[in-house]
Amino acid sequence: MKIAILSRNKRLYSTRRLVEAAESRGHEVQVIDALRCYMNIEQNNPTIHLGGENLEGFDAVIPRIGASVTFYGSAVLRQFEMMGIYPLNESVAVTRSRDKLRSMQLLSRKGVGLPVTGFANKPDDVKDLIKLVGGAPLVIKLLEGTQGIGVVLAETQKAAESVIEGFMGVKANILIQEFVKEAKGADIRCFVIGDKVVAAMKRQGAPGEFRSNLHRGGSAELIKITPKERATAVKAAKTMGLNVCGVDLLRSNNGPVVMEVNSSPGLEGIEGASGKDVAGMIIEFIEKNGKLGKTKTRGKG
C-alpha cells in the first residue's frame, strides 16, 4: 500500500513509529505537512498539491493533525476523502472530537459516563452554573485547550466565580465540570483501535498537580482496566466515529467517566508503558480496512 501520514514533523516519536511500522510491513510511506499542501477544488476533480507536485496514488491517509492546525488540516484530510482515499480517522470525526462541548453533548446523548458539566455565555449565570455542577471545588476548561493547558482547579466558590468571570471577560469559551476528587490526580488512557482497547495506562499527576498529562510532568504505568471501563472507552470511540483514538477516563464513585476523546493520541507513552507495538497494530488495521472509496462521508461531512 501507499500510505500518507499528515504530520508537521517527521521526527516526532509517533510519526517515526508509524513510518517504521508501515515500512517494515512492505508499505510505501510519505510524511506530508498539511499546512504546505494546497488544493484545487474543481468540479468532480478534487486534487491536492505540494511543492508543484500532484499528490496522488495513495491508498490510505493517517491524520496526525495538531490541535492548533485543526481547521486547515481537516480541510486537507477532507480533500483526500473526496479523492476516495481511505482515512484512518475521518475529517468529520476529527473535528467533532476537537470540539470539547460537542463531544460532551454527543457522549451524553449516547449515555456514556461523564462528569457533571456546565456551559454558559453570560456572567449573570455564573452562580447558578456553579450550583448545577455541585459547587466548588470544580474544574474550569478552555474549549480550545490541549495537553492540560487552559485547565484550572478552583477550590472555593469565590475562586470559581473569579476565574469564570475572568475567562468570560476575554470572551473565552469554557466548560465547568465537577472535580472528581476520588481520582486523586490520576486518569486512565485507553488506546482504542477499531472496537478494542489494545492497551491502557494509568497517568498520575506530578506531586501537587491535579492534571495527569505527561506533558505536565505526569508519570505513566501499565494498568488492568475493568470490563466496564473497556466498554465505556469503546462506546466513546464509536460515538465520536473514530477508528483510532485515546479515551481518557477517571475512576469516579459513580463508575468510569470520560474526560476527553483524543483523535491523534501520542504513541510514546502508551508503547513505553505497555511494551506493545501499537504503531504496528494501527498499520494492521489499515491493511484490513483500507480500501479506496471506503469512507462513511466521502468528504461530505
Side-chain angles (χ1 to χ4, degrees), residues 26-38:
H27 304 299
E28 182 185 344
V29 186
Q30 184 175 347
V31 178
I32 297 167
D33 181 350
L35 293 192
R36 294 189 59 231
C37 294
Y38 48 101

Side-chain angles (χ1 to χ4, degrees), residues 15-285:
T15 304
R16 282 193 291 108
R17 285 288 296 117
L18 287 166
V19 170
E20 289 167 9
E23 289 181 343
S24 71
R25 299 172 76 96
H27 304 299
E28 182 185 344
V29 186
Q30 184 175 347
V31 178
I32 297 167
D33 181 350
L35 293 192
R36 294 189 59 231
C37 294
Y38 48 101
M39 298 165 276
N40 184 0
I41 305 171
E42 186 183 350
Q43 183 179 1
N44 296 325
N45 184 32
T47 56
I48 302 174
H49 304 263
L50 176 67
E53 292 185 15
N54 189 2
L55 296 177
E56 56 187 354
F58 290 98
D59 300 291
V61 55
I62 301 174
R64 300 287 310 173
I65 298 167
S68 62
V69 297
T70 298
F71 178 79
Y72 196 79
S74 297
V76 173
L77 179 58
R78 192 179 309 118
Q79 192 83 345
F80 273 108
E81 292 165 7
M82 290 171 67
M83 293 160 62
I85 296 162
Y86 175 79
L88 178 65
N89 283 328
E90 295 205 18
S91 56
V92 68
V94 172
T95 54
R96 187 187 287 145
S97 68
R98 288 283 161 81
D99 185 332
K100 286 189 176 73
L101 178 61
R102 187 180 179 192
S103 297
M104 289 285 165
Q105 289 173 318
L106 292 169
L107 292 168
S108 167
R109 189 174 69 189
K110 290 292 184 180
V112 176
L114 296 170
V116 179
T117 302
F119 182 69
N121 184 51
K122 298 281 186 227
D124 320 356
D125 307 320
V126 168
K127 281 187 170 62
D128 195 40
L129 189 64
I130 291 171
K131 190 176 168 186
L132 281 177
V133 301
L138 54 81
V139 177
I140 302 155
K141 292 182 177 179
L142 276 174
L143 282 186
E144 294 80 19
T146 61
Q147 298 175 351
I149 299 166
V151 180
V152 178
L153 172 62
E155 301 199 39
T156 67
Q157 174 86 13
K158 282 292 178 193
E161 288 176 16
S162 297
V163 173
I164 293 168
E165 287 168 1
F167 275 134
M168 286 182 169
V170 293
K171 307 295 184 201
N173 289 314
I174 56 169
L175 289 176
I176 70 168
Q177 292 182 325
E178 66 171 322
F179 175 54
V180 183
K181 188 177 181 181
E182 57 270 26
K184 297 176 181 174
D187 75 359
I188 298 169
R189 162 61 62 89
C190 298
F191 204 102
V192 179
I193 300 178
D195 56 0
K196 292 179 183 173
V197 176
V198 299
M201 64 178 173
K202 177 183 176 183
R203 302 185 300 185
Q204 181 69 52
E209 174 61 79
F210 79 100
R211 297 169 294 182
S212 56
N213 307 71
L214 300 186
H215 293 86
R216 308 253 72 78
S219 59
E221 62 179 356
L222 190 64
I223 190 171
K224 186 174 175 61
I225 59 173
T226 67
K228 188 167 184 183
E229 287 165 347
R230 193 174 297 275
T232 297
V234 170
K235 189 172 183 179
K238 284 193 178 304
T239 300
M240 292 292 105
L242 294 164
N243 292 318
V244 171
C245 62
V247 180
D248 297 336
L249 304 174
L250 292 185
R251 285 178 166 168
S252 81
N253 291 335
N254 300 314
V257 293
V258 175
M259 298 304 290
E260 188 173 359
V261 183
N262 189 324
S263 61
S264 291
L267 300 182
E268 188 169 9
I270 198 74
E271 288 195 335
S274 68
K276 293 182 177 179
D277 178 14
V278 177
M281 295 178 194
I282 292 172
I283 301 303
E284 189 178 347
F285 180 86

